[in-house]
């Protein structure tokens, strides 16, 4: 009898599987349990469940079908409340331009450095010009696709990908704040970018460029010093521009990198006591020749006190655009690839890997990168071309340990026997 009752209960529970969200408890009593993601009364996105053994009139369910009908009624009522709540919040359905200027850009400005904001603002203005006064809720997936295709047609792959990802972040933020229910960009693929190629100089090419400077001219001595310093240290451009003589210990051959220089326009600069990454705060050992170059420059520099900038003519920091123009001009004279300040950093890392055979951890630490994988991904083609050494060191270690490939033919245990 017990087994028959057990089989009956199993069959009865199986029957309830036909109706989603409807179940029976151990005593066979029918109930429903429904889960929702938004509270219609507050609009908060917080999951909550509704469970009951009775219908809206307080009557127990006699069949699974009755419970399922109650589930359908509750869901219909829930959707109607959500729609009504959305209709009663017209203030959230604002134009895209107003959302960007009043909501997103103030938020973005607080999350990045001011120089990053200034660089990105023209890109965000592109979005504002395209979608202008169109309401957020009216931006659909087809319009987003048209914009994505136009980016791929008008810009380089990497620039198009960067713009598209920025637009997606804007609409993601609108979704998080519940200005829109869904980001229309989410279902669309990102444009395919290309691995950026940064030109760099070899030591031989650096030598050609340095020979184009007349070091008897004050300005050219400054540029000569700047190129040498960046090539031999791998500093970021803003890190080098912010260096003061107090940051350099020529006696112990160490540079303390602890700041960046930010240009604010109208000839105004701000020296920020921070670097791009936490790993950027570092002590950097320099070579004897670099020490001589710095000593020679400080000897002729007009303002050369401890609190003066190193790469400055009259205590006015060098501008990034000035550095770029100078690099281009002298590269053309020397007939070598035209590179940027970032290219000098790339050149240093190439020198470390290809000439000094340094590993990725060393190069990453010297360059002030937080993520070692970034260095490996950027310079993997350098490592692919070089022979990975270490055989001689292993041979020497094995010899000292007495481990040989020609051991005794007869094991000692058998010789004893």
């Amino acid at each position: 009898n017990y087994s028959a009752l057990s089989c009956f209960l199993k069959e009865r529970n199986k029957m309830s599987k036909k109706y989603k969200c409807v179940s029976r408890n151990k005593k066979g009593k029918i109930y429903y349990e429904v889960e929702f993601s938004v509270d219609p009364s507050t609009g908060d996105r917080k999951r909550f469940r509704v469970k009951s053994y009775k219908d809206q009139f307080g009557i127990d369910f006699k069949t699974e079908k009755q419970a399922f009908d109650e589930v359908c009624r509750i869901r219909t009522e829930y959707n109607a409340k959500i729609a009504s709540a959305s209709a009663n919040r017209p203030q959230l359905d604002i134009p895209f331009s107003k959302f960007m200027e009043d909501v997103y850009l103030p938020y973005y400005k607080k999350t990045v450095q001011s120089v990053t904001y200034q660089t990105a603002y023209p890109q965000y203005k592109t979005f504002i010009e395209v979608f202008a006064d169109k309401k957020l809720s009216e931006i659909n997936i087809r319009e987003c696709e048209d914009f994505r295709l136009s980016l791929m047609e008008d810009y380089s792959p990497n620039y198009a990908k960067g713009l598209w990802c920025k637009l997606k972040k804007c609409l993601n933020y609108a979704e998080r704040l519940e200005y829109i229910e869904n980001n229309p960009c989410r279902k669309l693929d990102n444009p395919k970018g290309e691995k950026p190629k940064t030109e760099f100089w070899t030591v031989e090419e650096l030598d050609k460029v340095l020979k184009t400077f007349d070091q008897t001219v004050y300005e050219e001595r400054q540029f000569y010093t700047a190129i040498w310093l960046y090539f031999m240290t791998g500093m970021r451009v803003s890190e080098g521009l912010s260096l003061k003589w107090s940051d350099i210990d020529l006696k112990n051959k160490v540079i303390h990198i602890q700041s960046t220089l930010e240009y604010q326009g109208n000839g105004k600069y701000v020296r920020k006591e921070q670097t791009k990454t936490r790993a950027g705060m570092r002590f950097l050992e320099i070579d004897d020749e670099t020490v001589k170059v710095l000593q020679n420059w400080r000897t002729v520099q007009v303002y050369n006190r401890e609190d003066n900038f190193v790469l400055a003519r009259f205590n006015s920091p060098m501008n990034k655009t000035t550095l770029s123009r100078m690099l281009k001009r002298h590269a053309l004279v020397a007939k070598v690839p035209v590179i940027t300040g970032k290219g000098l950093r790339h050149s240093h890392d190439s020198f470390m890997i290809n000439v000094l055979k340094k590993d990725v951890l060393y190069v990453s630490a010297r360059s002030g990168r937080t993520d070692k994988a970034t260095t490996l991904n950027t310079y993997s083609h350098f490592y692919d071309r070089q022979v990975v050494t270490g055989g001689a060191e292993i041979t020497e270690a094995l010899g000292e340990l007495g481990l040989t490939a020609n051991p005794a033919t007869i094991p000692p245990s058998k010789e004893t026997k």
Side-chain angles (χ1 to χ4, degrees), residues 174-186:
E175 181 181 350
R176 283 166 52 194
L177 297 186
E178 299 182 8
Y179 283 92
I180 55 177
E181 290 191 10
N182 295 293
N183 181 353
C185 296
R186 184 175 290 117

Side-chain angles (χ1 to χ4, degrees), residues 254-285:
V254 172
I255 295 178
H256 187 194
I257 300 174
Q258 58 181 330
S259 62
T260 55
L261 196 70
E262 185 177 298
Y263 181 64
Q264 296 188 322
N266 299 322
K268 294 183 178 180
Y269 296 85
V270 173
R271 187 175 188 258
K272 304 180 71 172
E273 302 300 321
Q274 65 184 61
T275 54
K276 183 177 181 180
T277 64
R278 184 178 298 178
M281 307 285 282
R282 61 201 188 276
F283 288 92
L284 195 65
E285 184 182 17

Side-chain angles (χ1 to χ4, degrees), residues 148-179:
R148 186 180 77 95
L149 294 176
S150 69
L151 291 178
M152 295 168 64
E153 183 177 348
D154 297 339
Y155 301 105
S156 66
N158 290 335
Y159 193 75
K161 182 179 179 180
L163 281 174
W164 175 253
C165 290
K166 281 183 170 63
L167 176 63
K168 288 181 72 172
K169 287 183 178 180
C170 294
L171 294 178
N172 277 337
Y173 191 65
E175 181 181 350
R176 283 166 52 194
L177 297 186
E178 299 182 8
Y179 283 92

Side-chain angles (χ1 to χ4, degrees), residues 198-214:
T198 303
E199 294 288 348
F200 65 94
W201 289 340
T202 62
V203 177
E204 292 76 18
E205 289 169 334
L206 172 69
D207 184 52
K208 291 180 181 179
V209 173
L210 293 177
K211 288 178 179 177
T212 64
F213 288 96
D214 180 359

